[in-house]
Amino acid sequence: MSGQSQDALVGGLSQGAPGGSKAGERKLEVKMETASCSAAAANGAVGSQRDRSLVPERLQRREQERQLEVERRKQKRQNQEVEEEKSDFFAAAFARERAAVEELLEGGESMERLEEAAARLQGLQKLVNDSVLFLAAYDLRQGQEALTRLQTTLAERRQELQPKKRFAFKTRRKDAASAAKVDSAPGAPAAEGILASPPPLKEEGGIGSSWVFGFSNVESQVLEKRAEELHQRDVLLAELSKCTVRLYGNPNTLRLAKARSCTVLCGPVSTSVFLEDCSDCVLAVACQQLRVHTTRDTRIFLQVTSRAIVEDCSGIQFAPYTWSYPGIDKDFEGSGLDRSKNNWNDVDDFNWLARDMASPNWSILPEEERMVQWD
């Protein structure tokens, strides 16, 4: 067939079905567009998955840690707000009760008012004990120092109202000397039952003339006091050397000062126990509050309802209170101490403020070294 005939045939076919050709083209275009969109969507999904898989795991961990840190800071702020509320409540309650006790002591012209002051003072001590977990160290120290001053004032007021006959030095000393068991070398000084005017060891310490009951300037002796003598008295043991002291009963306070190589065993003390300038001693005591100052190389068998405090000390070791004697249960009841609560190993060192490291000035006495023959 000639080229002219072919051209005519093609032209005829084109002219004969113009609509069919255009419809086919449109269908093809739609199919191509649909396929293109599907491919694009599929490629997008794959790309998204690929992008997510490309995120490093450490970034995910970092995000988790960031969220945890945000939550931790939020919790810390909430806890701080609660502690601030508790501290504010403590400050207001302490100031109110302190003012009431001071008013009773200032007008303390009768034993009834002094007994009321003593009862409120014990309540004030309990308030401090119950607040030690959230109080700052400075606030705790200030509260305990205020309590010490009030206790000293109370002891002074009690002394002023006591009849003079209760200070009969010679008779009481003779009775105490005959009652005490004495193991001493010839020429050792005699034990003193009542100190008519005990030596003022330190003006700021608050000892003064109010500390009128105990032993002083004794060496190498065994000294004892019975429950009927000790009941709710303020006891001073001063300048003892190589002595064993047994205090049966329930004193109000106990102070041990300038003792060397002594063993002191004491029943439950209603309020505070103070150690000052002692060395190489053993103390067994139950109390509300214990404070140890300028003392070294001393073992303390302790039951305490608040937290013990050490300051300017070294070589102090703590263990649970284990001394016992007939009638100690009754003395505990009279003292008001809670026998189920013992913070013997919860100690504040005012010379060691690092929270992440243990204080080098005190430690827990190993169990194998706690076996002590008290008698």
Side-chain angles (χ1 to χ4, degrees):
M1 184 180 293
S2 65
Q4 186 175 2
S5 298
Q6 291 177 356
D7 292 339
L9 179 60
V10 171
L13 291 173
S14 300
Q15 292 174 358
S21 176
K22 292 181 180 180
E25 290 177 359
R26 283 197 298 272
K27 290 182 180 179
L28 180 61
E29 290 177 358
V30 169
K31 290 181 179 180
M32 292 179 64
E33 289 177 359
T34 302
S36 177
C37 291
S38 300
N43 290 337
V46 172
S48 177
Q49 293 177 357
R50 184 182 297 111
D51 291 342
R52 287 198 297 269
S53 65
L54 290 176
V55 176
E57 292 184 3
R58 63 176 179 274
L59 294 181
Q60 296 179 13
R61 289 197 301 269
R62 185 178 300 173
E63 176 62 18
Q64 293 175 352
E65 292 173 356
R66 186 190 68 81
Q67 293 177 357
L68 290 175
E69 178 66 17
V70 169
E71 186 63 27
R72 187 188 66 81
R73 291 181 178 178
K74 179 180 178 182
Q75 187 65 38
K76 184 177 180 181
R77 285 196 301 270
Q78 292 176 348
N79 293 340
Q80 185 174 358
E81 290 174 357
V82 171
E83 289 187 0
E84 288 176 353
E85 290 177 0
K86 290 182 177 179
S87 298
D88 292 342
F89 171 80
F90 168 82
F94 187 89
R96 182 175 61 253
E97 286 301 305
R98 177 181 177 179
V101 173
E102 289 175 343
E103 182 179 355
L104 288 169
L105 293 176
E106 288 175 359
E109 299 178 355
S110 66
M111 289 301 296
E112 288 76 12
R113 289 180 65 88
L114 292 186
E115 291 307 318
E116 183 181 352
R120 301 195 73 155
L121 192 55
Q122 286 193 358
L124 199 58
Q125 178 72 65
K126 186 177 186 302
L127 175 64
V128 174
N129 295 344
D130 293 342
S131 306
V132 295
L133 295 179
F134 61 83
L135 281 182
Y138 175 80
D139 295 332
L140 178 61
R141 182 175 182 175
Q142 292 297 310
Q144 290 175 330
E145 288 178 351
L147 281 171
T148 300
R149 290 191 293 270
L150 291 173
Q151 289 163 356
T152 300
T153 304
L154 175 62
E156 291 173 350
R157 296 291 184 270
R158 279 175 167 166
Q159 180 196 355
E160 292 172 358
L161 293 179
Q162 286 174 351
K164 297 298 182 181
K165 63 180 181 180
R166 299 188 67 177
F167 297 95
F169 175 78
K170 292 183 179 180
T171 302
R172 296 299 291 274
R173 180 177 65 177
K174 181 178 179 180
D175 294 341
S178 62
K181 298 178 181 179
V182 178
D183 293 329
S184 61
E192 294 185 1
I194 295 292
L195 302 180
S197 55
L201 301 180
K202 187 188 284 189
E203 292 258 334
E204 297 176 356
I207 297 180
S209 61
S210 65
W211 300 86
V212 297
F213 187 77
F215 301 102
S216 178
N217 297 298
V218 183
E219 182 176 357
S220 302
Q221 295 193 26
V222 177
L223 310 169
E224 293 185 357
K225 290 292 183 185
R226 293 294 171 179
E228 56 272 16
E229 301 176 88
L230 284 180
H231 184 66
Q232 288 300 301
R233 299 292 297 274
D234 299 309
V235 180
L236 170 66
L237 306 175
E239 299 186 84
L240 305 181
S241 178
K242 300 178 182 178
C243 291
T244 296
V245 183
R246 298 188 184 96
L247 304 175
Y248 302 97
N250 168 219
N252 182 52
T253 61
L254 170 66
R255 188 157 199 155
L256 178 63
K258 297 187 178 180
R260 303 289 180 265
S261 304
C262 291
T263 297
V264 178
L265 312 176
C266 185
V269 178
S270 292
T271 56
S272 301
V273 174
F274 305 90
L275 271 72
E276 183 176 25
D277 193 19
C278 299
S279 63
D280 301 296
C281 291
V282 175
L283 171 67
V285 69
C287 59
Q288 279 192 354
Q289 172 191 350
L290 172 72
R291 185 158 183 174
V292 187
H293 189 259
T294 58
T295 294
R296 61 181 179 83
D297 302 327
T298 292
R299 290 180 293 167
I300 301 176
F301 294 81
L302 178 65
Q303 175 159 341
V304 64
T305 55
S306 64
R307 294 162 70 174
I309 294 174
V310 298
E311 187 174 16
D312 299 327
C313 296
S314 63
I316 309 298
Q317 293 181 299
F318 289 93
Y321 181 71
T322 56
W323 189 48
S324 184
Y325 56 87
I328 192 172
D329 293 337
K330 181 179 179 181
D331 291 334
F332 262 106
E333 291 177 4
S335 70
L337 298 179
D338 184 356
R339 298 190 73 172
S340 66
K341 187 175 183 181
N342 189 3
N343 298 317
W344 66 272
N345 59 350
D346 194 357
V347 181
D348 284 331
D349 184 353
F350 282 173
N351 297 109
W352 189 260
L353 302 180
R355 293 183 176 272
D356 56 341
M357 294 180 62
S359 168
N361 301 317
W362 70 273
S363 61
I364 301 299
L365 184 67
E367 291 191 13
E368 60 272 16
E369 299 180 24
R370 298 178 189 176
M371 303 301 295
V372 179
Q373 294 296 329
W374 300 118
D375 296 326

